Amino acid sequence: MNKVTDHDENDDVVVIEQRDKKTYIYIAIAGVLGLALGGLVGSSLTANQWQEAYQKLETQYQSAHRDKEQMASRVEDELATVHSQVQDKLDMALVDAKAEHEKQMLSLQAQVQELEKVNLSLEEQVSAQKKQIADANNQNTKLNHQADVQATLLERSRELFQRELKVKQQLEALQKERDLLEPKLPKLKEECDLFLDGTSWDVKSDSCDKQDEANSRLSQIDQMIRVHQMDLEQIKSLSEQIGL
């Protein structure tokens, strides 16, 4: 009886062990199937998520590309605007610089013309001053010559005056001597005639000699008077020539 019982228990153990093994197999198969199904489901979900992510990335890429193109267009427009503004400013700066340069050139030309006028005026002043100096030198030379002439004339005038005074004094003395001598000639002639006739014993023997001496002296006085008169005429002519 006990053997039968033990045998039955052993059979139960074997059955249980077999069931346990099958259970493990089923569980393993179920696990594999679960994994497979989970993988498929996961794969399906992952594919959907990847596609959504790709589309999202594609959309973002397209948006970024459009933004990039728009930004590039805006940058080009801004660059064109900046270039145009810079070109306009550069053109305005060139126009202003050209106008300023022309203004400076006109100012310099005006200064040059003014300096040329001043230089011409200075040259004219220098020329006028040189002429004044030359005229002054000529005038000084003339004045010196005139002074020399006047000094010479003064000396000549003094000499002429002294000579004229001396000639006049000599002429006056000769005229006085003639005036004294001439009235004596008739008496001396009468005495000489009486002596020659022998009609008077009062007449001295030298009466004729005295008459000859008187006539000779009178002739000499007349000659000297004529010479002195000629000297006075010459002095007068010289005085008129030198403006006296």
Side-chain angles (χ1 to χ4, degrees):
M1 187 66 181
N2 290 333
K3 289 181 180 181
V4 174
T5 304
D6 291 334
H7 180 74
D8 291 335
E9 289 177 356
N10 289 331
D11 290 337
D12 291 335
V13 171
V14 172
V15 172
I16 291 169
E17 288 178 355
Q18 290 178 350
R19 287 179 179 176
D20 291 335
K21 291 179 180 179
K22 290 179 179 180
T23 301
Y24 291 148
I25 292 171
Y26 292 150
I27 291 170
I29 292 170
V32 172
L33 291 174
L35 289 173
L37 291 173
L40 291 174
V41 173
S43 298
S44 177
L45 292 174
T46 302
N48 291 331
Q49 291 176 355
W50 181 85
Q51 187 174 5
E52 290 178 358
Y54 175 79
Q55 290 178 353
K56 185 177 181 180
L57 290 174
E58 180 69 18
T59 301
Q60 291 177 355
Y61 172 77
Q62 294 295 332
S63 177
H65 183 69
R66 287 193 299 273
D67 292 341
K68 181 180 178 181
E69 290 181 349
Q70 291 176 358
M71 183 177 293
S73 178
R74 286 197 302 272
V75 169
E76 289 180 358
D77 293 340
E78 290 178 357
L79 287 175
T81 302
V82 170
H83 179 74
S84 178
Q85 292 176 352
V86 170
Q87 187 65 39
D88 292 340
K89 290 181 179 180
L90 181 60
D91 292 339
M92 291 178 63
L94 289 175
V95 171
D96 293 339
K98 184 178 180 181
E100 183 65 22
H101 178 70
E102 291 179 353
K103 182 179 179 181
Q104 291 178 357
M105 288 299 296
L106 291 175
S107 177
L108 290 175
Q109 289 177 358
Q111 292 178 6
V112 169
Q113 291 176 355
E114 188 65 24
L115 289 175
E116 288 178 350
K117 290 180 181 179
V118 172
N119 188 29
L120 180 61
S121 177
L122 290 175
E123 289 179 354
E124 291 177 352
Q125 291 179 5
V126 170
S127 178
Q129 289 177 354
K130 286 182 178 179
K131 186 177 182 302
Q132 290 178 357
I133 292 173
D135 293 341
N137 289 332
N138 293 332
Q139 186 67 22
N140 188 33
T141 302
K142 290 180 180 179
L143 290 175
N144 290 333
H145 178 69
Q146 185 176 359
D148 294 338
V149 171
Q150 288 178 350
T152 303
L153 291 177
L154 181 62
E155 181 65 21
R156 183 63 174 167
S157 299
R158 187 179 64 82
E159 292 176 356
L160 289 175
F161 177 75
Q162 291 178 351
R163 183 180 176 186
E164 182 182 14
L165 180 61
K166 183 177 180 180
V167 170
K168 285 183 177 181
Q169 289 175 349
Q170 291 176 352
L171 183 60
E172 183 179 0
L174 290 172
Q175 190 65 42
K176 287 181 179 180
E177 185 179 359
R178 189 179 189 284
D179 291 341
L180 292 174
L181 181 60
E182 188 177 14
K184 295 178 181 180
L185 289 177
K187 185 178 180 180
L188 291 174
K189 184 178 183 305
E190 181 181 358
E191 289 178 355
C192 180
D193 290 341
L194 291 174
F195 175 76
L196 292 175
D197 292 340
T199 58
S200 176
W201 296 100
D202 295 331
V203 179
K204 296 180 180 180
S205 59
D206 59 351
S207 297
C208 290
D209 293 334
K210 289 181 178 180
Q211 181 187 7
D212 292 338
E213 289 177 359
N215 287 327
S216 176
R217 179 58 183 167
L218 184 62
S219 176
Q220 185 180 7
I221 290 173
D222 288 339
Q223 290 179 358
M224 293 179 66
I225 287 174
R226 285 194 296 272
V227 170
H228 283 66
Q229 288 176 345
M230 291 175 63
D231 287 341
L232 290 176
E233 290 178 357
Q234 185 178 9
I235 291 171
K236 182 179 179 181
S237 177
L238 291 174
S239 298
E240 290 176 353
Q241 289 179 5
I242 63 177
L244 296 177

